[in-house]
Amino acid sequence: MYESFYGLSAKPFQLRPDPHFFFGSKGHKRAMAYLEYGLSQGEGFIVITGEVGAGKTTLVRNLFNRLPSDQIVAAHIVNTHLDPDDTLRMVVSAFGLPYEGASKTDLLTRLEKFLCDVDHQGKRALLVIDEAQNLSARTVEELRMLSNFQTDDKSLLQTFLLGQPEFRATLHSPGMQQLRQRVIASYHLGPMDAQETRAYVEHRLTTVGWKGDPAFDDGAHDAIYAYSGGIPRKVNTLMDRVLLMGFLEEMHAFGEPDINTVVKDISEEFQVPDPVGTPAPDTLPGHLPEDDGDADYKTGLRTIDQRIGERRASSVEVLDERMMRLEKSIVSVLSILKKIVATPHGAVTHPMDNQE
């Protein structure tokens, strides 16, 4: 929708993780270094944690794009709300092996044979578990047991575990000592700072052909960081809405007030609506009657009611104004289309004919 308006080749702030947009902040570069270090070791567990939306899955996608397919056979598991047996089936399935109707013994036998075949081909097997915070302690222990598949001189399976910070609680629980001994590296991916957040926004825009339209001043970038806290997914959510508003209102420059307007809209959308049939403020239990005598209290309530009414009226006016602009744009487009349709085939239309 807004891509053509701003001359962009694609949506720059889509929520779906895409390695094409990978941005190497200090934290993301370090996390990638840990993953690459793990690959060079060829054994054990690598643990990467980070807040929701910090970019862990994008890290994985970027890693997979860089894996040498002639050296590493990789499997990626995202659905982790599973018991230990189902997790084993998921692992077997992720490596492309049959799993339906098989017993646990059969599954382990098939997996071991597959890992040995991979080793005989001069390759290594890598298992990446995303959303590891959803794994139970028993399931984590089942995954640890898979690391026991090995030859005399090497491990046949290496595992990367990526999850939210609460996974660390599982990792450091009393029964996880054996797993902790097999973790060769662990890193927590934190949010970007203000400077990196600005660079992240400009990087994603530039990736799809941004030439400075729209423009964002310093205040706009400050507001973007204030809302997102440097979390990539929150930046994407906000910026997608900002560009949509810019398209609808034909804006080519954004300042702090514009960003805050979108932030306010997003915040209001996630507010819990009032129940249908909520009584008016003066009928709520505990509201003082007119003859109570507490003038200050009653005045305060009237002031609150008045402010609520003013805010609602203001919101309606803003919405009405935006709808009028949108309607105006639609009418303009329809008018142009009608003129095009009415023009005889082969006739030359003067440019001024398409102007309102």
Side-chain angles (χ1 to χ4, degrees):
M1 182 177 290
Y2 57 71
E3 298 96 306
S4 58
F5 180 73
Y6 290 118
L8 306 177
S9 61
K11 291 185 66 174
F13 298 102
Q14 58 188 5
L15 295 182
R16 177 178 57 84
D18 187 343
H20 183 61
F21 289 100
F22 178 76
F23 175 72
S25 69
K26 289 180 292 186
H28 288 83
K29 286 181 178 178
R30 183 166 295 184
M32 278 301 302
Y34 272 82
L35 294 176
E36 290 172 348
Y37 167 76
L39 285 176
S40 69
Q41 297 302 300
E43 62 179 356
F45 289 79
I46 299 289
V47 176
I48 302 292
T49 57
E51 299 294 340
V52 177
K56 300 182 295 297
T57 302
T58 302
L59 275 176
V60 174
R61 300 285 175 84
N62 188 57
L63 175 70
F64 275 31
N65 275 359
R66 299 164 65 172
L67 288 178
S69 58
D70 60 334
Q71 300 176 25
I72 297 177
V73 178
H76 185 199
I77 295 178
V78 178
N79 184 4
T80 52
H81 283 288
L82 304 167
D83 61 30
D85 289 344
D86 285 337
T87 299
L88 177 58
R89 293 179 184 278
M90 185 69 74
V91 171
V92 170
S93 173
F95 280 116
L97 305 175
Y99 65 92
E100 294 183 358
S103 65
K104 183 174 182 179
T105 301
D106 291 336
L107 293 172
L108 291 172
T109 301
R110 290 174 188 176
L111 182 59
E112 182 177 20
K113 182 180 183 304
F114 169 79
L115 296 176
C116 289
D117 290 342
V118 169
D119 181 58
H120 290 156
Q121 296 169 17
K123 300 180 181 180
R124 294 192 286 116
L126 172 66
L127 175 63
V128 179
I129 308 290
D130 217 336
E131 302 297 338
Q133 74 280 353
N134 297 325
L135 299 172
S136 66
R138 289 181 57 230
T139 300
V140 174
E141 176 63 13
E142 187 74 29
L143 292 172
R144 184 194 68 79
M145 294 294 291
L146 297 182
S147 66
N148 289 332
F149 290 132
Q150 51 190 311
T151 63
D152 292 338
D153 60 345
K154 68 178 70 171
S155 175
L156 295 177
L157 179 66
Q158 185 176 26
T159 304
F160 291 175
L161 298 170
L162 295 91
Q164 296 172 22
E166 51 265 37
F167 177 63
R168 289 180 172 270
T170 300
L171 188 61
H172 291 281
S173 60
M176 292 291 105
Q177 182 176 356
Q178 293 189 67
L179 175 65
R180 290 195 299 271
Q181 292 174 352
R182 300 194 184 190
V183 174
I184 61 176
S186 177
Y187 181 72
H188 180 74
L189 179 61
M192 301 178 292
D193 60 26
Q195 184 177 357
E196 288 177 324
T197 301
R198 179 173 188 151
Y200 173 82
V201 169
E202 294 176 348
H203 165 77
R204 293 191 73 107
L205 285 167
T206 302
T207 301
V208 294
W210 178 62
K211 303 297 183 182
D213 178 23
F216 299 88
D217 64 19
D218 293 342
H221 282 290
D222 290 342
I224 293 168
Y225 178 70
Y227 170 79
S228 67
I231 299 296
R233 187 180 298 168
K234 295 190 70 175
V235 175
N236 292 354
T237 300
L238 173 62
M239 290 303 300
D240 187 62
R241 292 289 295 273
V242 167
L243 294 179
L244 177 60
M245 181 186 77
F247 163 70
L248 294 176
E249 302 192 4
E250 300 180 355
M251 300 171 64
H252 293 277
F254 293 91
E256 182 178 0
D258 305 311
I259 305 300
N260 287 336
T261 296
V262 178
V263 170
K264 181 175 179 292
D265 290 343
I266 293 175
S267 300
E268 289 178 348
E269 289 171 5
F270 286 94
Q271 288 180 353
V272 179
D274 294 333
V276 178
T278 301
D282 60 347
T283 64
L284 292 173
H287 183 83
L288 293 178
E290 288 298 320
D291 60 349
D292 182 81
D294 192 342
D296 291 339
Y297 185 84
K298 291 184 291 185
T299 301
L301 288 176
R302 292 193 189 101
T303 301
I304 292 174
D305 292 343
Q306 182 180 2
R307 289 178 179 175
I308 291 174
E310 291 172 352
R311 290 183 179 179
R312 287 176 177 170
S314 176
S315 298
V316 171
E317 290 174 0
V318 171
L319 181 60
D320 287 344
E321 182 180 353
R322 292 182 181 177
M323 291 300 297
M324 288 176 62
R325 292 183 183 180
L326 179 58
E327 290 173 358
K328 181 179 177 181
S329 299
I330 294 174
V331 170
S332 177
V333 171
L334 289 175
S335 177
I336 293 173
L337 290 175
K338 288 179 180 178
K339 291 180 179 180
I340 293 174
V341 172
T343 302
H345 181 69
V348 178
T349 303
H350 194 278
M352 294 299 294
D353 292 340
N354 288 336
Q355 296 185 7
E356 291 296 310

